[in-house]
């Protein structure tokens, strides 16, 4: 199957999952990206959106769990209209991104996801870019900015500084905070691994509702993104990520040196805007707790109006504005 056919098949799967016929699509389906490109980069064949002028300043937008590239479907046109070239990759375990080696560990540790971004930039011959993200995407962008600052023009990070370590993950939290991380403990069990493999569609929809309690997304909007979770590696990468945080999985040897650096909680020196929605139902730190980690030009923005965890999809205008503004700090 060639790449064009893959992209068409992927779009068709969206309609099939949402129960919308092609005849109804123009009226009922939410907008989506029309072209998904593929490129070998590091350990992966990455599926990604690439829109805007080829010679424009580059912005890389990174999605979170359990969402996908469609978090940025309304952000991208706002940026391309301003002359930006915008790259939106499916993270490992999502959409059309695949491991090149069938026997490779389906590793979800933070350093691996950050290394994926550097490998993608190298494959696309992008020397430097503005990085922006939320959830896993914000953590990944933070890590790239901390470890490879020479590759980052600016950073937009929802929920701020999200770099962690296995040692820090061993420390117990107050009961109310532990409750918010219920799914992490679920994934630590074999029951949880099997449960997520079997029920990931309903599981992810529950997370969307809990993380953004005031976001009234419809079934078609959810279905558009849920297709990306049908990736054959999705459950394994997800479980790996959360088990790694609790110290239940070891780092892959090739990332050990990176994780050792991250365990020192390095500062981020590139120009940064951190953001938070006023109705974020997911676990997140208070801005005052991480502001000192950003040692360059820095600004924090609270986005009001019932905005939850998936900030770029819920408040695309504010998110796009931050991406444009961060280079001017």
């Amino acid at each position: 199957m060639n790449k064009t056919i893959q992209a068409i098949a992927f779009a068709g799967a969206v309609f099939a999952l949402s129960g919308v016929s092609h005849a109804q699509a123009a009226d009922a389906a939410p907008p989506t990206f029309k072209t998904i490109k593929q490129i070998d980069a590091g350990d992966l064949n990455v599926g990604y959106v690439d829109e805007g002028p080829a010679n424009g300043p580059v912005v890389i937008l990174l999605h979170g769990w359990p969402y996908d590239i469609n978090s940025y479907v309304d952000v991208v046109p706002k940026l391309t209209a301003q002359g930006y070239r915008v790259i939106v990759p499916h993270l490992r375990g999502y959409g059309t991104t695949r491991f090149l080696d069938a026997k490779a560990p389906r590793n979800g540790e933070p350093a691996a996801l950050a290394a994926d971004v550097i490998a993608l930039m190298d494959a696309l011959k992008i020397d430097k870019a503005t990085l922006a993200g939320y959830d896993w995407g914000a953590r990944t962008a933070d890590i790239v900015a901390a470890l490879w600052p020479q590759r980052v023009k600016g950073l937009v990070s929802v929920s701020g500084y999200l770099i962690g370590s296995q040692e820090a993950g061993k420390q117990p939290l107050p009961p109310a905070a532990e409750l918010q991380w219920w799914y992490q403990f679920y994934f630590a069990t074999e029951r949880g691994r099997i449960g997520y493999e079997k029920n990931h569609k309903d599981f992810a929809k529950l997370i969307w509702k809990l993380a953004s309690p005031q976001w009234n997304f419809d079934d078609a909007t959810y279905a558009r993104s849920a297709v990306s979770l049908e990736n054959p590696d999705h459950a394994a990468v997800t479980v790996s990520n959360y088990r790694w945080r609790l110290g239940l999985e070891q780092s892959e040897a090739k990332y050990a040196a990176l994780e050792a650096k991250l365990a020192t909680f390095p500062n981020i020196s590139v120009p940064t805007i951190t953001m938070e929605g006023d109705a974020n139902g997911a676990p997140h730190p208070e801005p005052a707790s991480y502001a000192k980690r950003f040692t360059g030009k820095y600004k924090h923005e609270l986005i009001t109006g019932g905005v939850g965890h998936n900030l770029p999809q819920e408040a695309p205008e504010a998110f796009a504005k931050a991406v444009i503004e961060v280079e001017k700090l």
Side-chain angles (χ1 to χ4, degrees), residues 10 17 22 51 53 73 86 93 101 127 136 161 193 229 238-239 269 321:
F10 183 76
L17 183 60
H22 287 277
E51 296 192 2
V73 74
V86 186
D101 182 354
D127 179 59
W136 285 24
Y161 188 92
R193 182 189 67 78
L229 310 186
T238 296
V239 170
S269 60
K321 181 180 176 183

Side-chain angles (χ1 to χ4, degrees), residues 175-185 280-284:
E178 297 281 28
L179 178 62
Q180 286 189 301
W181 287 108
W182 64 271
Y183 51 88
Q184 181 168 260
F185 300 109
N280 186 357
H284 60 279

Side-chain angles (χ1 to χ4, degrees), residues 27 32 65 78 98 152 213 248 277 286 299 310:
D27 295 327
T32 190
W65 171 86
K78 297 179 188 303
R98 298 289 187 274
V152 182
L248 301 177
E286 289 297 321
K299 178 181 178 181
N310 185 1

Side-chain angles (χ1 to χ4, degrees), residues 97-314:
T97 292
R98 298 289 187 274
F99 285 85
L100 293 171
D101 182 354
K103 297 181 180 179
R106 270 38 181 176
N107 180 5
E109 70 176 286
L113 274 76
D116 291 345
V117 174
I118 294 298
L120 178 61
M121 291 176 69
D122 289 344
L124 294 173
K125 297 180 171 52
I126 295 170
D127 179 59
K128 205 167 186 178
T130 296
L131 301 185
Y134 68 100
D135 194 81
W136 285 24
R139 180 175 294 104
T140 301
D142 287 349
I143 292 172
V144 175
L147 299 185
W148 294 278
Q150 72 279 10
R151 306 296 298 270
V152 182
K153 289 182 180 178
L155 170 68
V156 176
S157 179
V158 176
S159 298
Y161 188 92
L162 297 177
I163 295 174
S165 72
Q166 287 186 317
E167 191 60 35
K170 294 177 184 178
Q171 304 306 311
L173 301 172
E178 297 281 28
L179 178 62
Q180 286 189 301
W181 287 108
W182 64 271
Y183 51 88
Q184 181 168 260
F185 300 109
Y186 180 66
F187 292 148
T189 68
E190 183 63 7
R191 177 190 178 99
R193 182 189 67 78
I194 296 170
Y196 191 65
E197 285 183 347
K198 181 179 180 180
N199 302 310
H200 58 270
K201 181 181 174 184
D202 290 337
F203 196 106
K205 193 170 188 178
L206 173 62
I207 294 294
W208 279 37
K209 291 178 178 179
L210 294 175
S212 299
Q214 297 185 43
W215 181 28
N216 296 317
F217 60 89
D218 57 23
D219 288 344
T221 297
Y222 176 69
R224 178 183 62 183
S225 290
V227 174
S228 295
L229 310 186
E230 299 305 316
N231 183 299
D233 303 311
H234 175 71
V237 170
T238 296
V239 170
S240 169
N241 180 281
Y242 289 105
R243 288 184 176 182
W244 183 92
R245 297 191 201 189
L246 293 176
L248 301 177
E249 283 196 6
Q250 295 302 309
S251 294
E252 202 172 340
K254 62 184 177 180
Y255 302 120
L258 297 179
E259 295 293 1
K261 291 179 182 178
L262 295 173
T264 68
F265 299 100
N267 290 333
I268 294 175
S269 60
V270 305
T272 300
I273 294 176
T274 57
M275 308 182 77
E276 193 60 80
D278 65 341
N280 186 357
H284 60 279
E286 289 297 321
S289 71
Y290 57 69
K292 65 182 180 181
R293 295 293 181 184
F294 299 98
T295 58
K297 296 178 180 179
Y298 174 69
K299 178 181 178 181
H300 178 75
E301 296 183 356
L302 176 66
I303 308 303
T304 60
V307 175
H309 191 58
N310 185 1
L311 194 150
Q313 192 165 351
E314 298 176 61

